[in-house]
Amino acid sequence: MDTETDVTGTGGLQVDPDLRDFVAEELVAGLDLTPARFWAVVADLQERFGGRVEQLLRRRDELQQQVDDWHREHGTGDVEALEAFLTEIGYLLPVEEPTVRVTRVDREIAEVPGPQLVVPATVPRYALNAANARWGSLYDALYGTDALPLDHELEPGYDERRGAQVIAEADRLLDQFFPLAEGSHADVVAYRVPSAGELAVDTASGTTGLADPAQFAGHRAGDGDRPAAVLLRRHGLHLELTIDPSTRVGTQHHAGVSDALLESAVSTIVDLEDSVATVDGPDKVGAYRSWLGLRTGELTASFGKGGRTVTREVHGDRTYVGTDGGELTLPGRSLLLVRNVGHHMRLDAVRTADGEPILEEVLDALVSATAALQELRGNARYSNTRTGSVYIVKPKMHGPDEVSLSVELLAAVEEALGMEPTTLKIGIMDEEKRTSINLEACIARAADRVIFVNTGFLDRTGDEIHTDFEAGPVVRKDDQRSQTWLKTYEDRNVDVALRAGFAGQAQIGKGMWAKPAAMREMLDTKGGHPRAGANTAWVPSPTAATLHALHYLETDVLAVQEEIKKRPLADRRGLLVPPVLPDAGTGLSEEDKRHELETNAQSILGYVVRWVGLGIGCSTVPTLEGVGLMEDRATLRISSQQIANWLHHGLVTDGQVRETFARMAEVVDGQNADEPGYAPMCADLDGSPSFQAALDLVFSGRREPNGYTERALTTWRQKAKATDGGEESGTRAAVLEDEAPSPAS
């Protein structure tokens, strides 16, 4: 890649010109931090941490080789023997009893359970969607999705039949979560606020109020005692009933309620990792610019919609009259976290004087903190944090030593920027086996910084397959969910975190809902996350956040956590049961093998053609059955490891794999035929970077460290960009909720 050969003012580093200009003209502008000082810090951090990271990566490889050798000799073995062996080689460490002592944590992390959005930083429009998704229209979410059944085709504009259905469902939810002392919300003809602390509810049979008056949180003034909005609160989340009888919805509503705005995405992770395709300097600048613009409040995005140009910007806060008569201000934006890359990533857009790519995590950490420093120094329109903390999510750490290194890197960044110690908090992604099996020790290493642990089923499954590669052929992908290791993993993550004192201090997270269009199914199933003691769980869109927020109105997560604390700690030996097919897979039919191979090949190709060919890091990829599944590098890791494992153990052959990929390329080409800028693979399979990347992922899967996909993806994406320029990274993504029909907006 082209980098700046003149190293003057860059700490001796060779820096891509776009990155150099971004730092000088945007990132450090207005701070007492010069560009020369910024790059000197990067060079220093690279010098201090580069060698240590290499040692940790070698340790990963050494341990994996020892595990592979053991499984080759013993197969799956038995849990006791495997436990003894892993202890002997230092893979399995003694159980610790950590206590977190984190301070200055925003209440969205510590006190308010609710949905968490994850959004690619490379798409400003969607980054703004996510930041502004703190409040979402429940009416829109019900009207424009399958959350409610639809038995007719919607009328253009506003469909009154659908509107009546939405109003009825909203009334039912109000009765469930904010019941009246008498009667139903469906009977209400007016909501009134006779005095600041009193909500009067008029029905045909008289005046009543809330069954629990404490659920009334405030109002926005209207005419007389008729408010423009009524604010309710349950389990820390707010719901605003917007009252405007002049609108098309308000006219139809029995009490003039034109919308129900639900506090939805309490927090959002702005992603620099798995959901982006950033392979060079311009790509990284695009991602960093979104994070900076969100922290300063200056990010905007313009786009065409319905024949007109729409400009989106960061929302301000919301103000009400509180129950004490004073002004009540509520945040108008999600609390923002940022996910950096893992230890194994290198960035050749910045190289050392010797020409070696630097640790990408070094630049991510320093840029993440410097952008937040703009806010902390008073250079922002709005406040993200009210405690002065910055939240950095750290993925793909293998065990406590790697957590320790991440903590030391954050401390070094704080020192370099003059930040108060422990300003930079860390979210631990529990997505690698050596982390989940030593979770107590990992938490202990970050006890004064950790603000979340999250179960990442997808990456965790990919790592499970790679770790157990030599134990035998693994079960089919969909069957992983019923395996012993997974139940233990999900339960133990909650158990360990609660014992460490996360309740009231930090988040316990659950994974992503992968079907953006299946909101009814999400409503029926994802309520299990708060019931399992998780005070946050990932969603793919603002609409999904609004609907998932209903689960947190339904379940008092903090009370559930108190009950879970009483149960026995999940035995970590359950994590040692390899998900291997019985009898080496001899019970599988040829049809079973064919279907599994086709499913995974199509999934790999469907994702890779967008990553490599179009620079899209997160996509809704249709399955063979036409069901759209949101995919990022974690799903790719599973599918590629699945085929590589079966190939290694002889369940499928080299020829079968290649033939299946060729057939599935035709399917994927058809699915993307209308995609602007799409280059069909079948026009030249040998010359298609996307097709060759897919084969690379499978045929190098056994040798690829930890089964990661970044090397193959980056290599082939760079080739694609060098050959035809590629399309600008991240021009489209999975979150397309702007196109949903909307009655209230």
Side-chain angles (χ1 to χ4, degrees):
M1 308 301 292
D2 291 334
T3 53
E4 178 60 63
T5 54
D6 180 3
V7 298
T8 304
T10 57
L13 300 171
Q14 303 173 46
V15 180
D16 177 277
D18 286 335
L19 268 172
R20 180 200 59 202
D21 292 347
F22 167 75
V23 168
E25 298 169 9
E26 300 178 51
L27 182 65
V28 304
L31 296 175
D32 56 349
L33 176 66
T34 65
R37 170 60 181 159
F38 178 91
W39 292 113
V41 172
V42 173
D44 177 63
L45 295 176
Q46 172 66 28
E47 178 69 23
R48 291 168 60 183
F49 290 95
R52 292 182 56 194
V53 169
E54 290 301 325
Q55 289 178 349
L56 290 171
L57 296 182
R58 286 195 295 272
R59 179 60 173 158
R60 290 185 190 178
D61 294 340
E62 291 168 359
L63 288 173
Q64 185 61 56
Q65 185 61 55
Q66 290 174 293
V67 171
D68 285 345
D69 292 342
W70 192 90
H71 280 307
R72 272 193 288 267
E73 180 178 353
H74 301 282
T76 56
D78 61 72
V79 169
E80 288 74 17
L82 181 56
E83 180 182 31
F85 167 73
L86 294 177
T87 302
E88 178 186 347
I89 65 173
Y91 186 108
L92 185 62
L93 302 174
V95 175
E96 300 187 25
E97 296 182 358
T99 299
V100 296
R101 49 184 182 275
V102 63
T103 59
R104 294 183 294 135
V105 181
D106 285 277
R107 65 188 301 270
E108 290 90 339
I109 296 285
E111 301 173 21
V112 183
Q116 188 167 69
L117 266 171
V118 183
V119 66
T122 46
V123 192
R125 173 180 172 184
Y126 296 130
L128 284 162
N129 279 1
N132 292 337
R134 179 64 173 260
W135 296 83
S137 168
L138 181 60
Y139 279 11
D140 285 0
L142 294 172
Y143 186 98
T145 71
D146 70 346
L148 292 178
L150 181 63
D151 59 4
H152 66 283
E153 187 173 338
L154 292 177
E155 294 288 336
Y158 177 61
D159 186 293
E160 289 199 1
R161 288 172 61 192
R162 185 64 165 176
Q165 190 181 16
V166 167
I167 290 169
E169 176 64 7
D171 286 336
R172 186 191 70 80
L173 292 169
L174 286 169
D175 286 343
Q176 179 180 355
F177 301 131
F178 304 97
L180 300 178
E182 296 179 6
S184 165
H185 283 273
D187 303 325
V188 176
V189 295
Y191 294 96
R192 295 185 295 107
V193 182
S195 63
E198 179 186 1
L199 176 64
V201 181
D202 295 336
T203 70
S205 56
T207 299
T208 184
L210 294 171
D212 179 4
Q215 288 189 317
F216 177 53
H219 72 285
R220 195 162 55 244
D223 295 329
D225 64 355
R226 297 296 178 96
V230 168
L231 188 68
L232 308 175
R233 181 176 54 235
R234 176 181 171 90
H235 299 162
L237 295 178
H238 294 85
L239 173 68
E240 176 193 302
L241 298 179
T242 309
I243 302 173
D244 186 352
S246 69
T247 66
R248 57 189 179 182
V249 180
T251 299
Q252 186 180 11
H253 192 277
H254 47 82
V257 174
S258 59
D259 204 357
L261 298 177
L262 180 56
E263 195 170 11
S264 302
V266 175
S267 57
T268 286
I269 296 175
V270 181
D271 193 19
L272 301 175
E273 196 228 6
D274 262 7
S275 69
V276 301
T278 51
V279 302
D280 55 25
D283 290 347
K284 291 296 287 188
V285 167
Y288 289 156
R289 183 173 284 131
S290 292
W291 173 245
L292 173 63
L294 289 175
R295 293 310 299 254
T296 62
E298 300 297 335
L299 185 65
T300 62
S302 297
F303 53 94
K305 181 179 180 182
R308 59 191 178 94
T309 298
V310 176
T311 298
R312 184 157 292 146
E313 59 184 19
V314 178
H315 285 176
D317 291 334
R318 306 178 70 84
T319 58
Y320 302 89
V321 178
T323 54
D324 61 356
E327 183 175 273
L328 171 65
T329 301
L330 297 178
R333 303 158 306 284
S334 282
L335 181 76
L336 300 176
L337 300 81
V338 60
R339 181 161 66 170
N340 290 184
V341 302
H343 296 319
H344 64 293
M345 296 293 289
R346 299 294 179 272
L347 181 68
D348 62 4
V350 182
R351 294 177 177 267
T352 66
D354 296 330
E356 292 298 316
I358 68 163
L359 296 172
E360 190 169 349
E361 64 178 322
V362 161
L363 192 61
D364 273 6
L366 190 59
V367 170
S368 297
T370 304
L373 194 63
Q374 292 280 3
E375 177 195 334
L376 299 180
R377 295 289 185 267
N379 298 338
R381 293 173 62 201
Y382 305 115
S383 172
N384 180 57
T385 174
R386 286 160 295 284
T387 65
S389 290
V390 182
Y391 305 102
I392 296 178
V393 177
K394 196 68 180 179
K396 296 178 175 58
M397 297 183 293
H398 295 249
D401 288 344
E402 297 195 12
V403 175
S404 291
L405 186 139
S406 294
V407 167
E408 291 177 40
L409 174 60
L410 296 184
V413 170
E414 287 170 344
E415 182 179 13
L417 295 180
M419 289 177 158
E420 185 177 342
T422 71
T423 293
L424 302 180
K425 306 299 196 292
I426 187 170
I428 298 175
M429 294 295 300
D430 178 9
E431 56 189 358
E432 310 296 331
K433 186 168 185 172
R434 194 149 54 99
T435 292
S436 53
I437 208 165
N438 297 298
L439 186 57
E440 292 96 333
C442 291
I443 291 173
R445 301 303 185 273
D448 59 352
R449 292 181 187 268
V450 61
I451 48 83
F452 108 169
V453 290
N454 185 293
T455 52
F457 161 72
L458 298 173
D459 259 309
R460 182 63 180 80
T461 301
D463 192 62
E464 186 69 38
I465 296 172
H466 193 82
T467 302
D468 300 333
F469 213 95
E470 296 292 345
V474 295
V475 300
R476 288 177 290 186
K477 182 167 63 176
D478 289 347
D479 292 337
Q480 288 284 358
R481 294 184 180 276
S482 62
Q483 297 300 298
T484 299
W485 76 264
L486 181 59
K487 176 169 174 37
T488 305
Y489 166 63
E490 294 287 356
D491 288 348
R492 199 168 188 281
N493 202 69
V494 176
D495 292 343
V496 170
L498 289 178
R499 281 167 170 75
F502 272 48
Q505 295 194 77
Q507 289 178 327
I508 303 172
K510 294 290 184 183
M512 178 66 76
W513 178 255
K515 300 179 183 179
M519 292 295 96
R520 179 69 262 163
E521 185 181 353
M522 187 194 76
L523 282 170
D524 291 341
T525 60
K526 201 169 173 66
H529 283 160
R531 291 194 297 272
N535 49 359
T536 194
W538 285 2
V539 287
S541 72
T543 296
T546 297
L547 293 172
H548 184 41
L550 296 173
H551 294 133
Y552 297 89
L553 294 181
E554 179 180 46
T555 300
D556 184 347
V557 178
L558 302 182
V560 169
Q561 289 179 342
E562 289 302 311
E563 290 301 311
I564 290 177
K565 287 179 185 179
K566 302 172 185 177
R567 76 185 183 192
L569 174 67
D571 189 342
R572 69 175 176 171
R573 286 178 296 181
L575 296 169
L576 300 181
V577 181
V580 173
L581 288 165
D583 301 320
T586 56
L588 287 180
S589 68
E590 290 305 312
E591 174 61 22
D592 290 335
K593 297 176 188 176
R594 181 196 62 78
H595 182 267
E596 188 70 12
L597 186 53
E598 288 182 350
T599 298
N600 285 287
Q602 186 266 346
S603 173
I604 292 169
L605 287 167
Y607 179 72
V608 168
V609 289
R610 290 166 169 259
W611 210 104
V612 171
L614 299 172
I616 300 173
C618 182
S619 296
T620 301
V621 177
T623 66
L624 283 171
E625 295 75 27
V627 177
L629 295 180
M630 198 193 75
E631 298 203 0
D632 63 8
R633 293 203 294 264
T635 55
L636 183 66
R637 188 181 180 192
I638 296 177
S639 296
S640 57
Q641 285 294 293
Q642 181 80 26
I643 297 179
N645 172 269
W646 278 23
L647 184 63
H648 177 60
H649 290 284
L651 267 66
V652 295
T653 67
D654 183 295
Q656 282 178 298
V657 171
R658 293 181 186 276
E659 185 274 335
T660 301
F661 269 88
R663 279 192 295 108
M664 292 302 106
E666 295 184 25
V667 173
V668 172
D669 278 350
Q671 291 172 333
N672 288 275
D674 297 329
E675 183 74 20
Y678 181 77
M681 293 177 286
C682 288
D684 180 10
L685 291 179
D686 291 337
S688 167
S690 298
F691 188 78
Q692 294 304 315
L695 294 182
D696 189 1
L697 286 160
V698 169
F699 288 108
S700 67
R702 181 188 173 203
R703 301 182 305 276
E704 204 70 50
N706 309 111
Y708 288 140
T709 63
E710 287 85 356
R711 179 205 58 79
L713 287 173
T714 299
T715 298
W716 289 102
R717 173 63 181 158
Q718 288 175 339
K719 288 181 180 180
K721 293 188 80 171
T723 330
D724 58 17
E727 187 163 316
E728 287 300 316
S729 289
T731 54
R732 290 172 298 282
V735 187
L736 299 175
E737 73 288 344
D738 286 328
E739 309 310 320
S742 168
S745 58

